[in-house]
Amino acid sequence: MADRSAPSCHLRLEWVYGYRGHQCRNNLYYTAAKEIVYFVAGVGVVYSPREHRQKFYLGHQDDIISLALHPERVLVATGQVGKEPYICVWDSYTVQTVSVLKDVHTHGIACLAFDLDGQRLVSVGLDSKNTVCVWDWRKGKLLSMAPGHTDRIFDISWDLYQPNKLVSCGVKHIKFWSLCGNSLTPKRGVFGKTGDLQTILCLACARDEVTYSGALNGDIYVWKGINLVRTIQGAHAAGIFSMNACEEGFATGGRDGCVRLWDLNFKPITVIDLRETDQGYKGLSVRSVCWRGDHILVGTQDSEIFEIVVHERNKPFLIMQGHCEGELWALAVHPTKPLAMTGSDDRSVRIWSLIDHALIARCNMEEPIRCAAVSTDGIHLALGMKDGSFTVLRVRDMTEVVHIKDRKEAIHELKYSPDGNFLAVGSNDSSVDVYGVVQRYKKVGECVGSLSFITHMDWSSDSKYLQTNDGNGKRLFYRMPSGKEVTNKEELKGIQWASWTCVSGVEVNGIWPKYSDINDINSVDANFIGQVMVTADDYGIVKLFRYPCLRKGAKFKKYLGHSAHVTNVRWSHDHQWVVSIGGADHSVFQWKFVPDRKLKDTLHIAPQESLVDSNSDESDSDQSDVPELDSEIEQETQITYRRQVYKEDLPQLKEQCKEKRKSAASKRRERAPGNSIRLHFVHGYRGYDCRSNLFYTQTGEIVYHVAAVGVVYNRQQNTQRFYLGHDDDILCLAIHPLKDYVATGQVGRDSSIHIWDTETIKPLSVLKGYHQYGVCAVDFSADGKRLASVGIDDNHTIVLWDWKKGEKLSAVRGSKDKIFVVKINPYMPDKLITVGIKHMKFWRRAGGGLIGRKGCIGALGRTDTMMCAVYGWTEEMAFSGTSTGDVCIWRDVFLIKTVKAHDGPVFSMHALEKGFVTGGKDGVVALWDDTFERCLKTYAIKRAALAPGSKGLLLEDNPSIRAISLGHGHILVGTKNGEILEVDKSGPITLLVQGHMEGEVWGLATHPHLPICATVSDDKTLRIWDLSPSHCMLAVRKLKKGGRCCCFSPDGKALAVGLNDGSFLIVNADTLEDLVSFQHRKDVISEIRFSPGTGKYLAVASCDNFVDIYNVMSSKRVGICKGASSYITHMDWDIRGKLLQVNTGAKEQLFFEAPRGKKQTIPSLEVEKIGWASWTSVLGSCCEGIWPIIGEVTDVTASCLTSDSKVLATGDDFGFVKLFRYPAKGKFGKFKRYVAHSTHVTNVRWTYDDSLLVTVGGADTSLMLWTYEMEGHRDSRQCDSEESDLDSEEDGGYDSDVTRENEINYTIKALSTNIRPMFGIKPHLQQKEPTLDERG
């Protein structure tokens, strides 16, 4: 059974034995329901003494060390330790999280306190400054923070009688704080002559600025204001750890084991000495007291909780106990009764009843205990000690049978044989000793095969064999009782094992993660009957696997609660329970085993909401046989948006080039050109890795994105307006419910989200500082006030924003795998869903955090990869589209049914007033009724349905649909192939916008006398575009391979195309049919050029360092240019068609004579005199100035000179298009710079009459048209890259970004709460009441 899926049964935490008394104070209270709240390990416990029942809060992922009770006594705040510790505020009644406070403290949270009305919470960190923070905890918002003290702070409290005052105390100090606005200011308490400077351990505030505090020497110090006014000496015999104020007065508890009650003026009422009571013992130390009415709760250092009724104060009830401080390793279960035995470094052995949830026996030993075993008849209990000895006790009265010491090092494992005759004892001396039980534990054998300490052992059912594991991860077998090692494989084959607790062996391969240290799983126990096993590891996790578990990396169910390492885990004798024990948290957890047949759909209905950010091994999944991902999704998940260099790095890079800048500044540099360009039209739409990024605006225009541009397209006039605030690829777009603003998120080191107005194209708000690498999904709430975003960092962080204020409300790690979509619940803006790779999660906001629950699939199958999601007609209903073509219908977090909607993934869905519309990879748009019962209509996207007014041609029928939106009587569809289509309800389809598909676009050529251009791309298409105002694609042809270059013949009738396999074609420029094709090279053809004039020759450059020259008329190769030491990048002919200029990847500028291809050496002065038919080179003295200061990091990939030879346009790897004055002599010429492409601009070309500059951007697949504007030409319209000849001092020139920044009028100042126009009289014009002075 090599099943790698997780088992279908599960565990439920039923009881936790223990209480955290060590290193914590004031952590035990009565709630309003008279329950008792405290914590142990990483679990908050609410215990009902009446019903003897526990409830658990499991929102932490490490040790809890502080607790505060809200004044209404229902809510509890707990703080944990850890690298990024957080505070949870939770409800003690429902044990659900109310708020999470995070991202401020480090190391841990030492103290917590609520203020009088419970609105604010103060916390103290464990960092070096012991930072004090005040929170508006419901919002999860930090109100104020200040360094607390240089030394530890032990207690903090709000002054309940004065607003905005706090008191904190700790090592040799007490501080009185006042909170004014958002600043916290402390004053140190003055000890003066009244008392010694002491460490203050606890405090309580009283009326009239009086503060009582407990000191380390047992005195009580009384403060008035900030001065010490008197001391009550000898209140306790040693340190006072806890002070609790209630209506009747104050209770204090100290290290001397006494609890004292005082009245409101701190006059003594009574003293209770717990050491003297029945349950008392020497050394009892009180860590926490809570006095309510006639009951007092006391928590001790040794993990006990007492309840004292005041009038019977010498009879305290012991209501909870656990092991004391020290590691807990020993665990054994009774073979026939529901009992568990534990032994710890506190030298006690304890027997617990799993039915009564109580300690029934305890015995103290001489040595720390490290392991335990019970004989098969249940009479003897053997304990292995840390000093190498072992002791056997009688279970019934805990009297000693024998004590034997044969070893010097700790005994780590011992086990009785199934027939009860032998006891095997494994020690850290690497050997196992075998003792005869009947012979009063005489040593009868020894196993010495191991080279390392013994960690685990199991007997065979017939008691004839023993298997061991050691610290090296070796598994060895011995014949019993002699101890002779067995190496014969045959002999081992048939052995049945009586138990399985070993961590290595074929049967348990699957428990090991793929990469792991051999010692991080501490314990295993198999339940043979239920075919499951349970493991305990160093990360505080108890896991449930199938047994046997043969293949590495098996799936499991995981349970958190223990904080650090779980040292041991065992099934009870009847497999009803699992008992696990925690090393450092020395607590005992009892889990109820719920077999799968009892898992009626009700039981795991409300999965415990996990707060633990899913960075701990996400494998609660039941998938073993994960279906193959759809190829398209597979491709998409492989895309990484990381850049070697981000635009944000530019300033630093320039800094590093300081020397160069200085030298440049001293020389006179050429000015920037007077003429300029303006973005005019963009062909392209980003569909291949984005979804739902296409919408109608209020006015019926269409908004979408491509490259780094937000585009607003007017389909009546066929014009576009551009939002150019981004500087790198935009990956997502969402529209405000009122359809007038959109939010776009981009790639970047610290990536930003821009919210902008589609009418004015002005930014309203820019959000950054939280997402690394990029933002892949955004969504507005239904009221338009909030925005949710998802990052493409490794944790796919989810952030909820108040976007107008630019404020982060909540954040959480989303998932290890890619998240595709986030949607905010339209009815409840505090809830959202995310979908992604094998991921469907329902989140709700809790303060500064978000709490996620996985979608519950129940018996309906496994979590599929989800590609899209929408909310339905009520707040519970949600719908998601899967990668297999189903639509899942969810109510709350439960999957209620699935409907087959498409063949292949459902990429987009959209909710309408009455029903839904979906689109899939199968190229079908489907309209559904409001329950997904009936499909009302489908539209197939086919060439045949294209209406005459289309702006291009469909590349294929049924293209994969990535975005759908409705409005204005049409359905708007965006495809993976970069097409935007408008589907009329009656059927005809109009193609509005089109660009290349996924793959880099490099090839670009403009026609010699018509406003058209050709492009060729790695998407294996050659396309012809009309550059006149009709802006459409005229023709397209599919190629067998992608291409990187193309060129029109001088008469414009033929078009040459160089392909990536080393071949090239010449096609008819109108019909795109083949005229001729050749293949002489194996490598990519990088540049191709007809000679000027008649176009007699064709020069073809390839990446294997050669240029071939062909005679077009005779179709023969007539010359080869050799001598380049790297691939060819650029090539130009001179006017006569006799000379070729070539640039190479090694930055060589070479010259060859045509047509023979003989290499020529020409001095640079001569080069300038030569008349060139075109100039697209980037090397040579004429264009020295186009290389930026940071030329080592980035390449100038393309250039093109206007026909009047005045302006050189360049494109570079940073996505900038620049204009230089030509010739650009001297280094670092000044320029004008424009951003619209995202990464590298691969090619730039002027049209035949210089009216337009055409640019293509490699991976962003877009073709951009820029109008060329003469100097002095100013358009009255504000254009996007607003002109002004700013000479930015550094590397010259005009920068459209900078100018735009000058032009932006930031209306947004968050204070104008409503950005839309308002009516009424402005405040300063309103009639005012005259003030008293004015009346006077």
Side-chain angles (χ1 to χ4, degrees), residues 8 70 113 164 171 295 353 356 689 726 793 921 939 943 1058 1169 1210 1235 1269 1301:
S8 46
H70 189 276
N164 297 330
V171 177
H295 284 71
S353 161
D356 302 332
D689 61 342
H726 289 283
D793 53 288
K921 185 177 175 177
Y939 300 93
R943 294 190 196 126
K1169 294 180 189 161
T1210 68
V1235 182
E1269 297 179 343
E1301 215 160 298

Side-chain angles (χ1 to χ4, degrees), residues 17 29 85 242 374 417 425 497 511 523 527 608 621 698 794 922 958 1057 1079 1104 1222 1239 1265 1298:
Y17 301 89
Y29 296 101
S242 179
V374 186
S417 63
V425 179
W497 298 103
I511 66 176
S523 176
N527 166 352
Q608 171 67 38
S621 59
Q698 247 176 10
D794 295 339
D922 54 5
N958 303 334
V1057 185
Q1079 177 154 14
D1104 50 13
Y1222 184 84
T1239 41
L1265 278 49
V1298 178

Side-chain angles (χ1 to χ4, degrees), residues 306-322:
F306 291 96
E307 187 170 42
I308 302 169
V309 180
V310 176
H311 48 266
E312 294 178 7
R313 60 186 82 124
N314 52 352
K315 290 214 182 79
F317 297 103
L318 186 53
I319 56 175
M320 176 53 64
Q321 42 193 329

Side-chain angles (χ1 to χ4, degrees), residues 120 134 143-144 164 178-184:
R120 293 175 299 183
V134 179
L143 300 174
S144 171
N164 297 330
S178 53
L179 175 63
C180 182
N182 70 351
S183 81
L184 265 173

